[in-house]
Structures are given as structure tokens and as C-alpha cells.
Amino acid sequence: MTESTFSADAILASARRTLQIEAHALHDIGQRLGDAFVQATRLLLQCKGRVVVSGIGKSGHIARKIAATLASTGTPAFFVHAAEAVHGDLGMVTPQDVVLALSYSGTAQELLTILPVLRRLDIPLISLTGNPDSDLARAADIHLDGHVEHEACPLNLAPTASTTVALAIGDALAVACLEARGFGAEDFARSHPGGALGRRLLTLVRDVMRQGEALPAVPEHTPVAGALEEISRKGMGMTVILDAARRPVGIFTDGDLRRLIERSGDIRALDVEAGMTRAPRTISPDALAVDAATLMDRHRLSQLLVTGPEGQLIGALHMHDLLAAKVV
């Protein structure tokens, strides 16, 4: 059968067969997990240094991802390529570290070469292989069994199901350590400050609020015309009305203006208090910006005032500010 005659049904059948083989392998490894996995997790939790994850070939790619997952979930870790380790990179490993070595056959010469150095430094070794009788498995302090019955490759040669299982075991180690450490969303955000979660959990109201000259505010008894000038100058669609102690007594928005005109007709002689919304909602500058967004959504607000401990006005938020900061 040529590429051009390989039917859609055949393509889908191949894909489903691959997924079924890998799903079976994952189910099987889940049933086999036992004391060795518990010991490996405890060793990672007790590690005073970092978890050094190493491998070569396809196992090296998986090892790199496992190291990244551990590091982002509260377990300090980094990847060392096994071939580079024997040419100097092993100098990055310290006696306080733990080494996690991946090789499905357990015979990767580059990994076996570094074993005497690890032994000399008394560095604990966890191996993840598909052969518990291999040199790497026997040399390890803890061996994790990643054996699969069949690769998804029809030739049973290309690492497919075995690399999926190794990746899943790495994820299982990372999550077990995460849960044991009580690693929460805020901890995760600190490891991912550039991501969406980082922005949501690390951005405070004070980081995005408008303040100083950008803050629209007028004193009590300001004529409506003066309030409209302030609204136009500052571009927030509102102005805050302040008492003598700079505490907000009200907010005057575009919507308040329309309602005042409907109610009073000629507004030229009126002070802004005639149309302002009293007791406006406020938030602390130290609150999370995402909490401000939630408050604004709940009460259908476009603007929110920021006040200090004595109730004095120190800033204001517009929903556009939160959108621009990618908090929402």
C-alpha cells in the first residue's frame, strides 16, 4: 500500500490502535506501582539539593520534560544530557543532589559510565528502565519499572508506548511531590510569572490602578460642568467626588449624567452631588487584581475606586486596565 492509497479508515485505525496500546500500557503501569515509587517520591522530597534528570536519545527528551515538570511544581530539578555528562557536565552534580536516570534498555553506555562517579560522591540514584535486570537497574538505589508489553510501533522498535509510560511516571512523581509539599496555585504562579496564572495570582491592584494626575477627582460642591471637564480630561468615564479629607463621597459617571438630564432637564446650575452615586464600592491596593475584576463583574461596574486604610482615595481602576494587564 502506497502513501496515496492509504485510506482515511486505515489512518484512523492506526491512530486508534496506537492510542489503545499506550492507554493499556499506562493502565498496566498504574497497577504495578508500589513501594519503589513511594521510596522514590520520599527520596525526592528529602533531597537537599536538586533532582538531576538524565537520559539520551528519546529517553533524553522525556528526561528533559520530567525535569521541567518537577522544577515548575516545587521540586528543584534540571536536565543533564547523558553524553554531555561524561564530557564535563557531571560537574554540575553535587553530593546534595539526587539523580534520576532514564534508559528503557537500561544499557545506555553514557549513563553507565557516570555510575562510578555517583557512587564516589554517594549520590542517590533512581533508575527508570524497562528491564529490572539491566546494569542500570541493578546499580540504582531505587528502580522504577517502566516495562511495556508492546510499543505502538508495528515493528515494536520505535519508542512510543515506553516513552509515554516514562513521561507519565515522571508526571506522577512530580504530582506526588507537589501534593506532599502542599504546593498551591500561588506557588505555581511564582514559578510561572509570565503565564496567565502568574498574572492572575501575582498582579495586585496597586500594579494596575490609575493614580496621581491620571486619577479623575473633584471636591464636593463642584458644578456639573466642572465634573464633566474632569471626566473628559482623564478619560475614565467618571470622576470621584472627594470630601475635605480626600475620602470618596460619591462617583459621577457618564451614566449618572444621562440619568440626571432625564430627571432634571437643565443641569447647568446643579452641583455634581445632585447626580452622583453615593457610597461607591472600593478595594484595597493590596488586593489581587483578579479579585477586583470579580467584584466589578459581580456588581456590573466599569470603574472601581482604590482606598487606603483611612478611607482616602489613592487610585481607581477601569475594566480596560485589567484587560490591558491580561488579568481577565
Side-chain angles (χ1 to χ4, degrees):
M1 183 179 293
T2 65
E3 292 180 11
S4 60
T5 59
F6 203 50
S7 69
D9 287 344
I11 291 171
L12 291 174
S14 173
R16 292 184 179 115
R17 184 170 58 252
T18 296
L19 295 176
Q20 287 169 357
I21 290 171
E22 297 197 356
H24 175 77
L26 289 173
H27 179 269
D28 185 54
I29 198 67
Q31 298 300 307
R32 297 206 312 266
L33 283 182
D35 189 56
F37 183 86
V38 174
Q39 292 179 33
T41 301
R42 287 176 174 163
L43 186 57
L44 298 187
L45 291 169
Q46 294 163 5
C47 178
K48 301 299 183 184
R50 294 161 299 176
V51 179
V52 182
V53 192
S54 187
I56 194 167
K58 302 299 186 296
S59 293
H61 294 305
I62 299 301
R64 187 185 296 274
K65 193 274 179 185
I66 291 173
T69 300
L70 286 167
S72 69
T73 53
T75 300
F78 66 94
F79 169 74
V80 171
H81 193 283
E84 298 297 335
V86 299
H87 292 286
D89 280 5
L90 197 59
M92 293 186 287
V93 185
T94 73
Q96 289 74 42
D97 298 334
V98 171
V99 172
L100 171 59
L102 278 68
S103 168
Y104 186 71
S105 68
T107 60
Q109 193 58 45
E110 294 83 355
L111 287 173
L112 296 178
T113 301
I114 68 175
L115 293 183
V117 179
L118 300 181
R119 279 286 168 260
R120 235 177 5 255
L121 295 174
D122 197 26
I123 296 172
L125 172 65
I126 302 169
S127 66
L128 172 49
T129 82
N131 181 3
D133 295 321
S134 64
D135 291 340
L136 183 59
R138 290 198 302 268
D141 298 283
I142 302 169
H143 174 249
L144 297 174
D145 181 9
H147 174 73
V148 298
E149 292 183 10
H150 301 285
E151 298 287 6
C153 166
L155 302 176
N156 201 33
L157 295 175
T160 44
S162 59
T163 48
T164 298
V165 162
L167 182 62
I169 291 175
D171 287 344
L173 284 170
V175 173
C177 289
L178 175 154
E179 294 183 344
R181 297 181 196 278
F183 190 88
E186 292 188 9
D187 300 302
F188 189 88
R190 279 189 286 272
S191 299
H192 301 75
L197 180 60
R199 287 191 294 271
R200 288 175 61 86
L201 293 181
L202 297 180
T203 303
L204 301 178
V205 167
R206 66 168 66 254
D207 298 326
V208 293
M209 70 182 186
R210 304 191 196 190
Q211 53 188 317
E213 290 300 316
L215 187 59
V218 297
E220 292 178 289
H221 312 304
T222 297
V224 170
L228 293 179
E229 290 178 6
E230 182 72 353
I231 291 173
S232 298
R233 279 196 301 267
K234 302 302 174 62
M236 279 194 74
M238 68 89 183
T239 186
V240 188
I241 296 86
L242 301 175
D243 65 14
R246 288 194 59 78
R247 292 188 297 262
V249 295
I251 184 173
F252 188 67
T253 68
D254 293 336
D256 291 324
L257 173 62
R258 289 192 299 271
R259 286 185 289 272
L260 181 61
I261 292 174
E262 290 174 0
R263 186 170 66 247
S264 303
D266 188 353
I267 61 172
R268 288 176 295 178
L270 298 178
D271 287 347
V272 70
E273 286 93 334
M276 72 180 184
T277 298
R278 298 182 181 276
R281 295 191 180 276
T282 64
I283 195 167
S284 164
D286 296 319
L288 290 173
V290 69
D291 291 339
T294 300
L295 182 63
M296 294 167 78
D297 282 339
R298 182 183 305 137
H299 298 286
R300 299 184 179 182
L301 303 174
S302 297
Q303 304 94 352
L304 185 63
L305 306 187
V306 185
T307 55
E310 304 298 325
Q312 71 278 20
L313 181 72
I314 59 174
L317 282 173
H318 194 286
M319 184 59 77
H320 292 164
D321 302 326
L322 299 174
L323 290 170
K326 297 183 179 179
V327 173
V328 293

